Amino acid sequence: MATVRTSIHGYWSSRFAFVLAAAGSAVGLGNIWKFPYMAGENGGGAFVLLYLICIALFGLPVMMSEVLLGRRGRSSPVNTMTTLAAEEKRSRVWRLLGLMGVLAGFLILSYYSVIAGWALAYVLETATGTFSGVSGEQAGEVFDNLISNPRRLLFWHSVFILLTMVVVIRGVNKGLETAVRILMPALFILIIIMIGYAMLHGDFLESLKFLFAPDFSKLSPEVVLKAMGQAFFSLSLGMGAIMMYGSYLPDDASIATTSFQVAIADTLIAILAGLAIFPIVLANGLEAGQGPGLIFNTLPLAFGQMTGGLIFGTLFFILLVFAAWTSAISLIEPAVAWLVEKFSISRFISSIICGLVAWTVGLGTVYSFNSWKKIDVFDGTILEGKSFFDLLDYLTSNIMLPLGGILICIFAAWLMSEKSRRDELKIKYEVAYKLWRFLARYLTPIGVVLIFLHVLGVLEKLNIT
Ligand code: TRP
């Protein structure tokens, strides 16, 4: 029997709409901007392999658990956890899981928006021909000029927050669904075009080696943690975004199938982005480990040289903005929905409040790339040299999301009654159900905890590894 609860915020019009929206949330800067530079910084193949393992072993079970809780609770993650904890006679403390998600959403959106602002600025740069025929060095200068200018960053950050709020105000239904339906396929096609260019003009073979031939000497506990964090970040897991989207999912849609489709789409786009970027990096002797500026320093080179580069380039950055847009919405939707439920305020007011908060926290990231490159109080500690942006990124991706993920698994696979779980998942094949339950009960929580302990050096001290 399905639950009788209903969502006051609306529903997706179909199963397919949910897949599109969830894929729209998952596919974003994480795939096109972050994945390539993380792979570049952490030694390529070994990182990519770990990332893929984390997607399969942690990502899928967590995603299914999130959708499961969301659809059963039918409200914002805070209230979903409150309702479900009461229903399953568990402690009210579980609502804190929802609150941690709201906090993580704000923190991530605050810097996500600044980076999306770079993409916005690049739409203009590319369209006005800044990159035609540039050298690697010149392209680097354009980027440095952008990030060293807090005013420009602030301007584009503000524009992006505004864009996000406009869609959130209108509600999840129409605006989002239609946008995603057209833009996701367009993005896909453009990335394929980029790969075509990279194959012809870049060092494609070398980049295949870089991305897929693991060099295990590059591995360290930190790299494992980062690959795991990237898997959670890229799939939008661990903070309630997918739980929120799950709460709008029609009762008859299969959670396993839809989750699988979203994970495949997301992983594919990340790998394709890597294949579009590294041939250019390697052929032009650019630094693979240069960090967050990677795609902004490499792709313009390609656009500057290819025929029709002005158009393709402009289109590419527009689509990147759209990919970021559909992700940003999911970062703030849980907070907006929660305020609406809690204070009975309108969606409009709630969106404005949330937008202002995210915008304000974002100032920390705006200055992280220029006047406030490192936080002095950390001098002499392991955090020395880290900027506000570095810290936010580390804290959210590597700690909050995996932690949220295992708590979600523990609630869904241990604390809910077997009947509630089965009712909601409705998995036809017993083996598949048992597999999910095994992964969510044992493998994901234990795996994530072991990775945490490994980084803290606890395992080494106990002589376990
Ligand atoms: N997954 C998105 C990306 O790859 C970012 C994102 C959207 C996200 N919603 C999220 C990350 C929720 C973590 C949690 O760009």
Side-chain angles (χ1 to χ4, degrees):
M1 192 195 75
T3 49
V4 283
R5 279 186 280 273
T6 50
S7 158
I8 61 165
H9 310 285
Y11 293 91
W12 303 116
S13 61
S14 65
R15 195 193 92 173
F16 185 59
F18 165 78
V19 174
L20 273 178
S25 162
V27 176
L29 296 173
N31 309 59
I32 298 163
W33 159 74
K34 198 172 179 195
F35 173 78
Y37 88 75
M38 294 285 283
E41 270 180 344
N42 296 294
F47 176 87
V48 175
L49 183 68
L50 284 172
Y51 167 77
L52 294 176
I53 294 175
C54 289
I55 296 270
L57 294 186
F58 306 152
L60 261 178
V62 176
M63 183 171 294
M64 287 176 61
S65 307
E66 259 203 73
V67 181
L68 153 66
L69 297 185
R71 184 163 76 180
R72 201 161 180 83
R74 290 268 184 235
S75 48
S76 69
V78 181
N79 286 325
T80 283
M81 289 318 297
T82 313
T83 317
L84 296 185
E87 180 174 271
E88 306 291 340
K89 308 206 172 40
R90 304 293 171 181
S91 162
R92 258 180 70 79
V93 173
W94 279 98
R95 57 195 287 282
L96 293 183
L97 175 58
L99 281 172
M100 181 174 82
V102 168
L103 178 66
F106 277 119
L107 297 180
I108 298 176
L109 179 60
S110 79
Y111 71 80
Y112 203 83
S113 163
V114 177
I115 312 293
W118 297 357
L120 275 169
Y122 265 56
V123 171
L124 206 70
E125 295 286 357
T126 330
T128 51
T130 308
F131 298 117
S132 49
V134 286
S135 66
E137 210 170 298
Q138 288 163 326
E141 269 167 30
V142 176
F143 182 68
D144 289 340
N145 283 340
L146 171 67
I147 63 166
S148 59
N149 186 338
R151 281 201 188 176
R152 278 179 74 198
L153 295 185
L154 188 60
F155 173 76
W156 292 114
H157 163 55
S158 313
V159 172
F160 187 79
I161 290 278
L162 254 171
L163 285 175
T164 306
M165 287 0 280
V166 168
V167 176
V168 177
I169 287 169
R170 295 176 149 215
V172 280
N173 236 267
K174 274 286 164 289
L176 220 145
E177 272 193 41
T178 11
V180 176
R181 215 173 276 254
I182 305 164
L183 298 166
M184 299 306 290
L187 181 70
F188 183 78
I189 293 170
L190 222 77
I191 293 184
I192 300 287
I193 295 179
M194 293 300 301
I195 294 181
Y197 173 84
M199 276 180 152
L200 290 175
H201 300 280
D203 204 337
F204 199 70
L205 268 183
E206 222 19 67
S207 80
L208 283 181
K209 251 194 244 155
F210 182 75
L211 285 173
F212 299 112
D215 172 1
F216 291 109
S217 68
K218 299 269 171 60
L219 281 191
S220 70
E222 273 287 308
V223 173
V224 181
L225 180 74
K226 286 182 187 165
M228 170 175 81
Q230 175 62 15
F232 278 91
F233 183 88
S234 189
L235 290 176
S236 300
L237 296 176
M239 57 115 339
I242 293 294
M243 201 188 286
M244 187 81 239
Y245 279 16
S247 79
Y248 307 143
L249 181 65
D251 272 319
D252 54 357
S254 154
I255 291 178
T257 317
T258 47
S259 300
F260 197 71
Q261 289 163 340
V262 174
I264 294 282
D266 186 69
T267 311
L268 191 69
I269 302 265
I271 298 287
L272 291 179
L275 287 179
I277 287 157
F278 280 105
I280 306 172
V281 174
L282 298 173
N284 291 284
L286 302 174
E287 166 63 41
Q290 61 178 273
L294 183 66
I295 67 162
F296 295 93
N297 284 325
T298 42
L299 291 182
L301 264 182
F303 296 132
Q305 287 161 14
M306 65 167 102
T307 17
L310 196 90
I311 302 198
F312 285 141
T314 312
L315 209 61
F316 176 84
F317 285 111
I318 292 179
L319 290 172
L320 183 59
V321 168
F322 275 107
W325 199 359
T326 52
S327 300
I329 290 158
S330 73
L331 283 164
I332 200 79
E333 176 69 18
V336 171
W338 176 54
L339 289 189
V340 169
E341 290 161 9
K342 184 161 174 77
F343 301 108
S344 304
I345 49 176
S346 69
R347 218 182 152 81
F348 181 79
I349 303 285
S350 173
S351 305
I352 302 282
I353 296 173
C354 293
L356 276 175
V357 174
W359 180 85
T360 313
V361 186
L363 298 181
T365 296
V366 162
Y367 289 104
S368 290
F369 296 99
N370 34 70
S371 31
W372 199 31
K373 277 205 177 108
K374 70 182 192 64
I375 303 175
D376 298 335
V377 284
F378 294 136
D379 283 359
T381 71
I382 48 162
L383 297 177
E384 176 157 356
K386 291 224 187 293
S387 67
F388 184 75
F389 160 74
D390 296 329
L391 285 183
L392 272 191
D393 177 33
Y394 194 92
L395 174 71
T396 51
S397 298
N398 300 348
I399 300 168
M400 293 175 91
L401 300 180
L403 187 65
I406 50 179
L407 292 173
I408 287 165
C409 281
I410 289 173
F411 193 91
W414 285 103
L415 302 183
M416 273 182 121
S417 72
E418 182 69 14
K419 182 170 177 319
S420 316
R421 280 198 281 274
R422 283 184 184 270
D423 277 354
E424 206 58 54
L425 282 176
K426 296 191 216 64
I427 298 185
K428 261 191 261 146
Y429 306 102
E430 187 59 20
V431 198
Y433 174 76
K434 289 261 168 67
L435 179 64
W436 165 77
R437 204 181 58 183
F438 171 77
L439 293 174
R441 272 196 168 173
Y442 302 100
L443 205 122
T444 307
I446 295 174
V448 172
V449 169
L450 283 181
I451 293 176
F452 280 157
L453 293 179
H454 196 29
V455 173
L456 294 173
V458 178
L459 299 183
E460 287 74 6
K461 282 193 196 104
L462 296 174
N463 258 337
I464 294 179
T465 53

